[in-house]
Amino acid sequence: MAAHSWAATYQTPMDESSWMVEGSIFECRMTHDIPFYGKGVFYKEAGEAATFDLKPSRERFKTGKASLVSEAPVWKPRGKNVNLGLVSVKQGKDPLTLEEARTERILAELLAGQKIVITRKPWYGAEQSSRVVLSSVNFTGAYRQFMECLATLLPVNFRQIERTAIYFPSGRDSLRPSELKKLEHIAVYVKADPSVQSFFIDGHTDAVGNRGENLELSKKRAEMVATILRQKGIPPDQIQVRWHGERYPVATNRTRMGRAQNRRVTIRLQKNGGPSVPELARN
């Protein structure tokens, strides 16, 4: 298509194309600056799916569907263009976020030397569409650094463990492997984030059996969870343990599923100031 058919093409010249990687065990980011447009950003937070975001310096696209195409660069005259489908965009400063599957696809296309082109009509009403281009020039080295960063990410982030429920079999104070894994994730995260300094542990049961026995069982469950966390390196003076028996159900005790939800120990984490997780700028 002729160049004059586009309202604007936002693209980094080949000799200026660069990708920047920054990250930590909490999050990783790979950014591509696009002159007169803004940035394209690949981002992954610990415990979350990877995403791709467009970060314009000002509004560009009209709300609707944009085309996503993998195009062969000029130095690959026999290369093929691949239509990657339509994606939803909206007018504003955060016009586009791609889910993990599409994010991984465009990463693969860039690694193969293709460029990624996002095309949509501009918000100000021009008939011609605008194009935003991600260049693959100097991408490979940055991609390697990005993958190395991803390999170091923690298994979870703070939001995922801030409030955790540990579930127990009926009448028992033993734990399944899936519940032990939750406690392991809490311990791993807290060792990396010194701002988490308080643990509130509360034991609960369903309503089956004697109330007094249930109160004692909830105590055993809560103390068991606290013991496991202490064994994993959580300071004892940061842990507060309480038990409530069957007093505070979160679901009906009339069904098997409801009772299973009530047989729990809840863990609430609290940050008490001090050094915290260094966050990368989201924009």
Side-chain angles (χ1 to χ4, degrees):
M1 191 171 291
H4 65 268
S5 64
W6 308 112
T9 295
Y10 303 100
Q11 176 175 323
T12 307
M14 284 193 297
D15 60 346
E16 298 178 11
S17 178
S18 66
W19 291 84
M20 182 179 71
V21 177
E22 53 185 335
S24 67
I25 60 175
F26 302 102
E27 55 188 348
C28 299
R29 179 189 305 279
M30 180 167 59
T31 304
H32 181 56
D33 286 325
I34 306 169
F36 307 110
Y37 179 81
K39 301 175 181 178
V41 181
F42 292 95
Y43 178 79
K44 182 171 173 58
E45 182 181 7
E48 303 288 354
T51 61
F52 171 77
D53 299 88
L54 282 180
K55 297 291 185 180
S57 55
R58 56 182 296 183
E59 296 180 9
R60 296 296 185 185
F61 286 145
K62 179 180 180 181
T63 297
K65 294 291 184 179
S67 71
L68 184 66
V69 177
S70 170
E71 290 189 1
V74 294
W75 59 88
K76 287 187 175 182
R78 296 184 180 180
K80 295 182 179 180
N81 295 347
V82 181
N83 183 359
L84 302 179
L86 298 176
V87 293
S88 297
V89 296
K90 59 184 178 181
Q91 183 179 334
K93 292 185 177 182
D94 295 294
L96 173 67
T97 297
L98 298 182
E99 79 287 353
E100 186 173 34
R102 237 175 199 142
T103 295
E104 293 295 337
R105 177 63 188 274
I106 63 176
L107 281 169
E109 295 292 327
L110 288 166
L111 188 61
Q114 296 283 93
K115 62 182 181 180
I116 301 298
V117 182
I118 303 160
T119 305
R120 175 63 184 159
K121 288 184 178 180
W123 70 270
Y124 50 80
E127 288 299 318
Q128 297 85 6
S129 294
S130 294
R131 307 203 316 162
V132 174
V133 181
L134 304 179
S135 171
S136 62
V137 176
N138 295 321
F139 175 79
T140 302
Y143 179 77
R144 185 179 297 109
Q145 294 177 43
F146 188 58
M147 291 298 103
E148 291 171 355
C149 181
L150 296 185
T152 69
L153 286 175
L154 294 173
V156 292
N157 58 60
F158 182 70
R159 295 188 309 278
Q160 293 172 328
I161 60 168
E162 183 177 9
R163 292 178 181 272
T164 301
I166 306 297
Y167 297 102
F168 287 78
S170 179
R172 297 165 60 186
D173 58 2
S174 59
L175 285 175
R176 301 182 182 92
S178 61
E179 306 308 295
L180 289 171
K181 187 174 183 179
K182 293 179 183 178
L183 296 176
E184 178 65 24
H185 284 171
I186 290 173
V188 168
Y189 181 88
V190 170
K191 289 177 183 177
D193 184 357
S195 69
V196 180
Q197 297 181 1
S198 297
F199 299 75
F200 300 93
I201 297 176
D202 290 86
H204 305 269
T205 68
D206 59 26
V208 176
N210 178 276
R211 284 193 174 187
E213 293 176 350
N214 284 340
L215 184 62
E216 182 63 23
L217 180 58
S218 68
K219 177 183 178 181
K220 288 182 179 179
R221 288 171 173 170
E223 290 181 337
M224 176 187 178
V225 168
T227 296
I228 293 173
L229 289 176
R230 285 193 293 267
Q231 291 172 344
K232 293 182 180 296
I234 306 303
D237 61 351
Q238 294 183 1
I239 299 175
Q240 297 184 40
V241 181
R242 298 178 296 186
W243 49 92
H244 312 280
E246 60 192 66
R247 291 180 59 193
Y248 301 113
V250 293
T252 178
N253 278 298
R254 296 180 179 179
T255 67
R256 179 181 298 178
M257 184 177 296
R259 291 190 295 273
Q261 294 180 58
N262 291 332
R263 295 191 301 268
R264 70 201 189 280
V265 168
T266 60
I267 306 169
R268 180 170 62 88
L269 309 185
Q270 183 172 297
K271 294 188 175 185
N272 293 350
S276 187
V277 174
E279 294 186 358
L280 301 178
R282 294 306 302 264
N283 296 319

